[in-house]
Amino acid sequence: MRSIPLKYQVILVPMMLIVPILFVILLTMSYLQDIDQQNDTVREWASATDQLHIGIAAIHSLQETSNLLQDSQGQDAEELLFDYVEQSRLLIGSLKHPSLTGKIEEKTLSELQASTEKVKYHDDLEISQITPVLATLLPRMEYFYRSLQAQKRSIYIDSNEDINRITSQLATVSISVLGLCVLIGVILSAWIKKSTTRRLQSLTTSAHTLCNQPISGNIRKPRDELDELASCLSVISQRQLNLLATEKLLEGAEEERRRIAMDIHDQFLSDVANIARRLDDISQSKDLSDGDKKEINRTRTELAELTTHLRGIIDDVHPSALSILGLEAALRSFLQRKVSAGNAPDYYLSIETGIDEYLNENQRLNIYRIILELVSNILRHAHCSRFEINLHPIKNMLVLTVEDNGIGFDIEQALKKGQHGLLNINQRALSLQASVEWTASRFSSGSCFKMNIPVENIEMKETGKIAVHGI
């Protein structure tokens, strides 16, 4: 199963927690709506009973006012009539209130409303006719009041039970969802921690592999994987800067070598050729003695040797055969020039064919210079009778080994003394991003140099190996 990208993992935990919380919010809103509906129902029944209570109170007031009106005259009668009109309006208004609709049968409600119209004040109102109407209306309204009161209490009790039930369910669901969110959060956090830690450790291991030989510098002591990764990246950055500086230095040195080689070729060889032509012209003179001719021939021979020597120097300073014919041909030419004396050691050169296709100009030149430095050290210091040079691929690495059967040396002591040849080899190996190792030779004595050079997309066949043996 493929790992979820980190950018999705970051939002996974909040999303997994938001969904249950959103569910609880929606459920709470639904339950609150139900509670509001039940409260509205209770309020409607309470309003209906209140209206009936107002009507009953109005009937009692009307009965009392009617009794007083029969015995009153003058100003007192006018005040009682005013009270009568006010109480009759309250009675009629209470029975016409919308809250009673649906609570009392429509027919019965209509009859009650019709009865209230009889007690409504008008100019021809007969007080004696009001008393029987009020006596008939009062018990009926008291009956409906008690009936609505009983229904209101029942609905109120049911509503309280429903609200308690809804509250209990909501609390249970909320606690359950909260517990589920905590569990999901713990599980996802553990999973993300494991996944992220695994990737981070893998990345840190890879970075540590690149910086397993830390260079000097003020680098913090790592506290965790991130600090260690930052420390390794800092080391890698410093190494890249050093590598870039080394490459620029070597490029400058090679450019200077090329310029010197061109100057020698264009100036010195041209001067030597002119001298040789003048000697040829002088040798054609008839006035020369035999001794003069011998001296001229000897000088011509020395000039030819000087020309050969200068061409060797030019080739060492800037090997034209390397860019024209390739690494193997340039090395073979060098070995034929350097290891040609009768007392020179034997040599063995083994290089894979087609190796130049996988190397750029800078890589070829650095490998060539390293081999030349190693061979020069062998010829000067090793006192050997044989040395071998092998260059072959293993997977994505190009492995160079140079070993001899000489007297060997202590690499640590040589580096402490600051041997320029070894420092030059290390600098060029750093430019190639290669690893260098000095070990004992497979011969009975001597030393072995091994360098692993990372090369991409290199695929060689064992049958493609070129071997050159020295005489």
Side-chain angles (χ1 to χ4, degrees):
M1 181 177 180
R2 296 180 62 184
S3 298
I4 300 176
L6 183 59
K7 60 181 180 180
Y8 296 131
Q9 290 185 16
V10 172
I11 64 174
L12 182 61
V13 173
M15 289 302 298
M16 292 296 292
L17 298 180
I18 287 173
V19 171
I21 293 174
L22 183 61
F23 168 74
V24 172
I25 292 174
L26 294 176
L27 183 64
T28 302
M29 293 176 64
S30 176
Y31 281 177
L32 290 177
Q33 187 176 4
D34 292 342
I35 293 174
D36 286 341
Q37 290 178 355
Q38 293 188 17
N39 288 334
D40 290 340
T41 302
V42 172
R43 282 192 292 269
E44 288 178 1
W45 282 94
S47 178
T49 56
D50 290 341
Q51 292 301 321
L52 286 179
H53 186 270
I54 292 171
I56 293 172
I59 292 174
H60 286 293
S61 296
L62 286 173
Q63 286 178 336
E64 184 178 353
T65 303
S66 298
N67 293 332
L68 294 173
L69 277 172
Q70 293 177 358
D71 300 330
S72 299
Q73 293 180 354
Q75 188 176 357
D76 292 338
E78 290 179 2
E79 292 179 359
L80 291 173
L81 284 174
F82 180 78
D83 291 339
Y84 181 88
V85 172
E86 188 68 26
Q87 295 300 324
S88 64
R89 286 179 180 177
L90 289 175
L91 175 60
I92 295 171
S94 66
L95 290 174
K96 289 184 177 182
H97 197 274
S99 61
L100 293 176
T101 305
K103 308 297 188 298
I104 302 175
E105 292 183 3
E106 187 177 354
K107 181 180 178 181
T108 305
L109 185 61
S110 299
E111 292 177 355
L112 294 173
Q113 291 172 353
S115 300
T116 60
E117 291 294 331
K118 294 179 182 181
V119 299
K120 185 178 181 180
Y121 176 79
H122 52 82
D123 294 338
D124 299 332
L125 179 66
E126 292 290 340
I127 299 299
S128 59
Q129 298 176 356
I130 295 173
T131 302
V133 174
L134 294 174
T136 305
L137 186 60
L138 180 59
R140 297 188 66 183
M141 290 191 63
E142 289 178 346
Y143 169 77
F144 288 118
Y145 175 73
R146 290 192 297 271
S147 176
L148 292 183
Q149 276 285 86
Q151 294 184 51
K152 184 187 76 170
R153 285 194 296 271
S154 176
I155 292 173
Y156 180 77
I157 293 171
D158 292 341
S159 176
N160 275 341
E161 291 179 354
D162 288 342
I163 292 174
N164 291 334
R165 176 181 55 81
I166 290 173
T167 305
S168 177
Q169 289 179 356
L170 184 59
T172 302
V173 172
S174 301
I175 293 174
S176 300
V177 171
L178 180 60
L180 180 62
C181 289
V182 172
L183 181 61
I184 291 175
V186 172
I187 293 174
L188 289 179
S189 298
W191 173 70
I192 292 176
K193 177 182 179 298
K194 181 179 179 182
S195 175
T196 306
T197 302
R198 184 179 67 251
R199 297 182 191 179
L200 191 60
Q201 286 178 347
S202 177
L203 183 60
T204 304
T205 302
S206 300
H208 186 70
T209 302
L210 295 176
C211 62
N212 55 358
Q213 295 178 347
I215 60 178
S216 60
N218 296 324
I219 301 175
R220 273 188 323 181
K221 184 179 180 180
R223 294 175 298 178
D224 52 23
E225 289 84 357
L226 286 176
D227 279 348
E228 187 174 359
L229 180 59
S231 175
C232 287
L233 290 178
S234 176
V235 171
I236 293 172
S237 299
Q238 293 183 36
R239 287 186 175 179
Q240 288 299 112
L241 292 175
N242 292 342
L243 176 61
L244 182 62
T246 301
E247 289 180 350
K248 293 300 181 182
L249 179 63
L250 293 177
E251 287 177 3
E254 291 299 332
E255 181 63 24
E256 186 66 17
R257 286 172 177 266
R258 185 186 67 81
R259 187 190 64 77
I260 294 173
M262 292 179 62
D263 289 345
I264 294 175
H265 180 276
D266 296 340
Q267 185 65 42
F268 290 101
L269 285 183
S270 177
D271 293 343
V272 172
N274 290 334
I275 294 173
R277 282 194 296 271
R278 286 204 301 267
L279 286 176
D280 289 339
D281 294 339
I282 295 173
S283 65
Q284 300 298 326
S285 176
K286 297 180 180 179
D287 298 334
L288 294 176
S289 64
D290 292 339
D292 292 335
K293 290 181 179 180
K294 289 181 180 180
E295 186 65 21
I296 290 173
N297 289 332
R298 186 179 65 82
T299 304
R300 186 186 292 118
T301 300
E302 290 178 353
L303 287 176
E305 293 176 352
L306 177 60
T307 300
T308 301
H309 183 64
L310 285 175
R311 291 186 182 279
I313 293 174
I314 292 172
D315 197 47
D316 288 343
V317 173
H318 184 71
S320 58
L322 183 64
S323 56
I324 298 174
L325 301 178
L327 181 61
E328 183 272 330
L331 288 174
R332 181 171 54 186
S333 174
F334 168 77
L335 291 172
Q336 288 175 350
R337 291 197 320 270
K338 292 294 183 180
V339 194
S340 58
N343 59 350
D346 294 334
Y347 66 88
Y348 176 84
L349 174 65
S350 176
I351 300 179
E352 295 281 353
T353 56
I355 199 73
D356 293 276
E357 298 178 8
Y358 304 94
L359 299 173
N360 57 40
E361 182 178 358
N362 180 64
Q363 289 174 320
R364 286 196 301 271
L365 183 59
N366 281 318
I367 293 173
Y368 177 79
R369 293 294 186 194
I370 289 173
I371 294 176
L372 260 61
E373 186 67 36
L374 292 169
V375 172
S376 298
N377 288 339
I378 289 173
L379 295 178
R380 288 198 301 267
H381 308 296
H383 304 291
C384 64
S385 60
R386 179 181 175 85
F387 66 90
E388 296 183 359
I389 303 172
N390 292 279
L391 186 62
H392 57 88
I394 298 178
K395 295 182 179 180
N396 287 333
M397 302 293 291
L398 190 62
V399 180
L400 169 66
T401 57
V402 179
E403 56 184 334
D404 61 77
N405 62 350
I407 59 176
F409 71 105
D410 189 341
I411 181 64
E412 293 184 0
Q413 291 296 327
L415 290 174
K416 288 180 180 180
K417 292 179 181 179
Q419 298 292 336
H420 294 292
L422 296 179
L423 295 177
N424 185 38
I425 290 173
N426 289 336
Q427 289 296 321
R428 292 188 179 277
L430 178 64
S431 176
L432 292 170
Q433 299 184 18
S435 61
V436 173
E437 182 182 6
W438 290 90
T439 60
S441 173
R442 61 183 176 84
F443 300 111
S444 58
S445 60
S447 62
C448 175
F449 170 84
K450 184 176 181 181
M451 181 172 67
N452 296 321
I453 309 164
V455 180
E456 296 182 356
N457 301 324
I458 183 167
E459 295 179 0
M460 296 292 178
K461 296 181 180 179
E462 291 295 331
T463 55
K465 188 177 292 185
I466 292 179
V468 179
H469 298 268
I471 300 175

